[in-house]
Amino acid sequence: MSYSDKVIDHYNNPRNVGSLDKSSTDVGTGLVGAPECGDVMKLQIKVNRETNVIEEAKFKTFGCGSAIASSSLATEWVKGKTVDEALSIKNMDIVKELSLPPVKIHCSVLAEDAIRAAIGDWKKKQEAPKPVAAEAK
Amino acid sequence: MTKPAFTEIGAKPLPLETNSCWSCGSMRAAHFCESCGKVQPPAPVDYFSFFGLPAKLTIEVPALETEFYHLSRKLHPDLSARAGSQEQEWSLEQSSLLNDAYRTLRDPIKRTQYLLRLEGVELEEQSKSATEQARATGGVKKQIVPPDLLEEVFELNMQLEELKMNKQMQEDDAALTAEIAKHKTALEEKYESLLQELQSYWKEWDALMERNPRAESPERKQISAKMVDVLNRRNYIRNLVRDVNAALEN
């Protein structure tokens, strides 16, 4: 099995590798893993407080080329989208874009999971009561 | 007439659909005719039934082994060398089934996986179906791997990456290596304790089987889900320990 050119491109030049401040209230963090292959993927988003638009996205993935490419692509796609728009990204979109073979579909599933988990974390932070001390000032 | 040996381990009664012996016409047991002792064509049974065992997960491995040797001798194709070629073929098929059944049942993990397959659970499908559910409900996916384990895995991978880079730079960071080795020991302990956790679910399963082996209860699904969960975590840790070993050796 050989990787598609797009996978190789993302693998060699991954977009948006890095991390954001996990404790910040406008940052959502998704950490997901696949027991099938032992891959682990962290995806973080920074959301604009007024518009709910994802302004920044970072990832770090330990896993195969397809997992790295899937998460790299995911960060590219969520940027500029609102959180609700980002939730509409499906793993099959990633499969198509990267021409992933059937055995690598779980990598795209992982990337979709990571987006959902990051957004879920962000939403939880928005619902949580703000720390009193920070709000009072 | 002696009782067939396979009933000695398990108390499972003979299947109702037992046919007559092809040779003497009496009712036959799973492998041999009860009356004339002739080997029978292999019946399509699961591995537990092959050994005359109920579908329970706590197994006395020494007793299984004894039974395995006993059946191996009796089913050995050489014994039926002078009999017809049909009989010898059945011996061969039964022997090969016996070996597969024994190898699967004596190993605690393989035994559990086998039972889960009988229950219709495909381990690889778990993650995908959880994603589909999350998508349908708009919620966050129920993670197969618990968050704290994921954190640990991520952290350890970061350290492994650092270790690799250090090695490329010909630098040796003793503190980092020690840190990773410590993590590895902790993971290996967790790996062991997961087997104990699995065994506690065996007990739940076995109790359910004693109450009602054919029950289609939610409890049945719950117990198998818990076993799947343990097996998944165990796989994860095994892969990780393998990566750590590779990184430390290079």
Side-chain angles (χ1 to χ4, degrees):
Chain A
M1 184 204 78
S2 61
Y3 286 120
S4 70
D5 290 343
K6 277 181 182 160
V7 171
I8 293 169
D9 179 39
H10 275 281
Y11 181 76
N12 288 331
N13 311 293
R15 332 293 200 255
N16 311 312
V17 173
S19 64
L20 300 168
D21 178 14
K22 199 181 162 183
S23 58
S24 172
T25 50
D26 56 355
V27 169
T29 302
L31 182 61
V32 294
E36 302 91 335
C37 51
D39 288 359
V40 54
M41 187 179 282
K42 184 190 248 183
L43 193 147
Q44 294 182 299
I45 51 166
K46 188 169 187 278
V47 183
N48 184 293
R49 288 172 209 275
E50 260 87 62
T51 59
N52 283 359
V53 167
I54 298 171
E55 293 177 324
E56 237 187 299
K58 296 275 183 199
F59 85 96
K60 177 80 192 164
T61 293
F62 297 100
C64 66
S66 301
I68 291 170
S70 296
S71 40
S72 173
L73 180 67
T75 54
E76 271 197 325
W77 276 359
V78 296
K79 267 209 268 185
K81 285 193 169 72
T82 65
V83 281
D84 288 337
E85 285 165 354
L87 277 174
S88 68
I89 297 171
K90 301 279 182 287
N91 81 296
M92 286 316 284
D93 305 334
I94 297 172
V95 170
K96 276 188 208 125
E97 176 69 16
L98 296 175
S99 318
L100 295 179
V103 291
K104 291 294 180 186
I105 286 178
H106 68 269
C107 299
S108 67
V109 173
L110 208 54
E112 185 190 325
D113 292 343
I115 296 173
R116 285 180 182 283
I119 292 173
D121 181 53
W122 174 81
K123 278 190 175 160
K124 212 155 77 189
K125 279 181 180 174
Q126 309 316 304
E127 288 160 11
K130 301 266 180 342
V132 180
E135 281 300 284
K137 280 167 199 169
Chain B
M1 191 195 70
T2 52
K3 253 175 60 175
F6 66 89
T7 52
E8 282 162 24
I9 308 183
K12 190 173 175 150
L14 291 177
L16 291 171
E17 60 271 23
T18 302
N19 300 314
S20 310
C21 167
W22 60 270
S23 175
C24 76
S26 287
M27 292 296 276
R28 73 169 172 88
H31 316 299
F32 310 99
C33 171
E34 238 177 283
S35 314
C36 74
K38 291 240 190 227
V39 71
Q40 303 295 309
V45 290
D46 65 76
Y47 292 160
F48 292 96
S49 309
F50 189 92
F51 274 100
L53 292 168
K56 288 190 190 171
L57 288 165
T58 311
I59 282 186
E60 297 275 344
V61 175
L64 182 77
E65 193 185 16
T66 309
E67 182 63 11
F68 167 69
Y69 286 124
H70 175 79
L71 282 174
S72 301
R73 278 192 301 273
K74 288 189 77 172
L75 287 170
H76 203 286
D78 284 358
L79 284 179
S80 41
R82 277 181 296 155
S85 64
Q86 179 63 266
E87 248 177 280
Q88 201 178 6
E89 200 176 299
W90 288 336
S91 286
L92 212 63
E93 282 171 31
Q94 292 264 31
S95 293
S96 127
L97 249 174
L98 173 68
N99 282 311
D100 289 345
Y102 176 58
R103 257 182 249 139
T104 304
L105 292 189
R106 77 171 164 191
D107 181 275
I109 301 302
K110 283 189 191 150
R111 187 194 312 152
T112 312
Q113 284 171 335
Y114 180 73
L115 181 100
L116 289 170
R117 263 210 308 281
L118 290 181
E119 286 294 294
V121 184
E122 289 297 333
L123 287 169
E124 295 76 22
E125 287 297 307
Q126 292 293 305
S127 187
K128 221 177 122 212
S129 59
T131 298
E132 276 157 13
Q133 201 182 346
R135 202 186 277 164
T137 59
V140 173
K141 176 185 174 180
K142 178 192 169 287
Q143 278 297 305
I144 303 289
V145 185
D148 56 329
L149 178 59
L150 273 179
E151 289 282 353
E152 202 177 337
V153 171
F154 192 83
E155 202 51 44
L156 188 53
N157 269 303
M158 291 292 270
Q159 290 176 338
L160 288 178
E161 195 173 73
E162 202 183 330
L163 184 77
K164 275 181 210 150
M165 287 207 291
N166 286 347
K167 281 190 173 163
Q168 273 170 12
M169 307 287 285
Q170 308 281 328
E171 278 169 21
D172 201 12
D173 188 339
L176 180 66
T177 311
E179 183 84 11
I180 292 173
K182 211 171 80 189
H183 257 153
K184 193 189 117 180
T185 313
L187 282 174
E188 282 167 341
E189 280 165 13
K190 202 172 269 176
Y191 189 71
E192 287 306 314
S193 73
L194 280 174
L195 185 60
Q196 285 161 19
E197 193 180 334
L198 184 64
Q199 282 163 342
S200 73
Y201 301 141
W202 285 2
K203 289 206 183 85
E204 290 181 26
W205 174 265
D206 293 353
L208 180 72
M209 285 299 106
E210 255 164 50
R211 285 202 302 278
N212 186 0
R214 297 194 194 280
E216 278 299 330
S217 59
E219 195 185 352
R220 189 180 184 122
K221 285 214 164 65
Q222 273 165 21
I223 302 171
S224 45
K226 283 193 274 192
M227 291 194 281
V228 169
D229 182 55
V230 173
L231 290 178
N232 275 331
R233 273 185 283 159
R234 211 168 163 273
N235 271 349
Y236 215 87
I237 293 177
R238 192 194 51 213
N239 288 342
L240 191 61
V241 169
R242 188 197 55 209
D243 290 349
V244 174
N245 284 333
L248 289 178
E249 275 164 23
N250 281 332

